[in-house]
Amino acid sequence: MGITENVAAIKERLEKAAPGRRVLLVAATKMNDADRVRQAIAAGVDACGENRVQELLEKHGQGAYTGRPLHFIGHLQKNKVRQIVGVADLIESADSRDLLRRIDARAGELGIIQDVLLEINIAGEESKSGMAPEDLPGILAYAAGLGAVRVRGLMSIPPICEEPGGNRPFFARMNELFVDIAAKKYDNVSMDFLSMGMSGDFEDAIREGANLVRVGTAIFGARPYPPKTDESASRSARL
Ligand SMILES: *Cc1c(COP(=O)(O)O)cnc(C)c1O
């Protein structure tokens, strides 16, 4: 099946998982060229998510994302903040106080407000970026004082899971955090987006409250990763 058919099929599944509820479909476009990204946009995805700065800038320069909001969904290194702020409409992967500070400083220079999501390491995995849930109150209080950053919600990438439904407890825990924070009404923080769920588990994520899913493989097919050692291959399969 082609990209157009895949997007149509996914949209049907989104509607079935949460009838009548609006769920944003973000195409995870890594390793797909500008042409394929444009096909996904024409097929009706709501936004594009890119996870490497270099690739994003290149495809952005080619006009790949025209007509749709652009999200940055990968790990953002501190020295790349300058290149992403103001280019990405939403940085989904703000994962530390220090990163927020740097994003705020850069957005301030540009005279813009940068929307971000806070990435949560919900399963406490050592290998993964994202903040610990217990650090959230402090970070939200900090974000409330920033003039050029606006927190729009939460994002998470739970562990790789072989069994169907295996990540539902993590999704449920994320939703609890999301609802909790929304009720507390921090300044400068609005819980608009709960970003979780990928090709293998987006229906479970939606059932647990996600309103934004990031889907790559189910739209574009398997990514053509270059040959790698076993260890790095299993790591990048995750990305
Ligand atoms: C690649 C990627 C996805 C999509 O993964 P698929 O399993 O291909 O749907 C989602 N989120 C992030 C952060 C990604 O890098």
Side-chain angles (χ1 to χ4, degrees):
M1 283 219 294
I3 291 169
T4 308
E5 292 81 3
N6 289 343
V7 169
I10 292 164
K11 289 191 140 195
E12 249 174 60
R13 287 167 62 189
L14 296 181
E15 175 59 27
K16 252 193 211 143
R21 185 146 64 83
R22 176 104 173 97
V23 177
L24 293 182
L25 174 58
V26 177
T29 48
K30 59 176 167 282
M31 304 195 76
N32 286 280
D33 63 19
D35 217 51
R36 291 170 63 78
V37 175
R38 285 189 206 102
Q39 282 180 52
I41 289 174
V45 302
D46 295 297
C48 296
E50 203 65 71
N51 72 338
R52 290 193 176 85
V53 172
Q54 198 52 44
E55 187 176 343
L56 178 150
L57 293 175
E58 220 166 89
K59 280 145 74 173
H60 186 257
Q62 296 163 352
Y65 314 112
T66 303
R68 288 295 184 280
L70 174 57
H71 296 190
F72 186 74
I73 61 176
H75 177 62
L76 183 53
Q77 290 167 287
K78 284 159 190 155
N79 62 356
K80 304 245 166 97
V81 165
R82 295 184 68 81
Q83 295 168 277
I84 282 296
V85 170
V87 177
D89 298 286
L90 181 67
I91 298 173
E92 292 203 20
S93 43
D95 62 1
S96 71
R97 184 185 298 236
D98 186 43
L99 193 64
L100 284 174
R101 181 180 62 74
R102 287 167 192 262
I103 292 170
D104 182 66
R106 177 59 177 158
E109 272 174 22
L110 295 173
I112 61 165
I113 307 263
Q114 177 68 58
D115 283 346
V116 306
L117 306 183
L118 301 180
E119 182 178 352
I120 311 298
N121 185 349
I122 196 63
E125 294 170 278
E126 221 154 279
S127 61
K128 230 176 243 160
S129 46
M131 38 187 95
E134 50 278 22
D135 294 339
L136 261 175
I139 288 181
L140 287 161
Y142 176 72
L146 297 176
V149 163
R150 186 167 51 186
V151 176
R152 301 291 306 276
L154 304 179
M155 182 271 232
S156 189
I157 310 173
I160 310 174
C161 182
E162 305 297 335
E163 307 146 51
N167 277 331
R168 280 190 79 151
F170 295 123
F171 293 143
R173 178 81 189 104
M174 282 295 298
N175 192 42
E176 278 171 30
L177 292 172
F178 185 74
V179 170
D180 236 47
I181 295 165
K184 286 188 177 131
K185 303 201 191 314
Y186 291 86
D187 278 348
N188 215 12
V189 172
S190 55
M191 287 291 112
D192 300 317
F193 301 113
L194 179 55
S195 171
M196 54 187 194
M198 319 205 311
S199 291
D201 57 13
F202 65 81
E203 281 143 322
D204 285 337
I206 290 169
R207 288 186 196 107
E208 298 295 350
N211 61 12
L212 188 166
V213 295
R214 307 175 310 267
V215 179
T217 310
I219 294 176
F220 297 107
R223 287 178 286 275
Y225 283 111
K228 279 191 176 128
T229 62
D230 285 352
E231 200 188 3
S232 70
S234 65
R235 249 189 336 147
S236 65
R238 187 67 202 133
L239 300 171

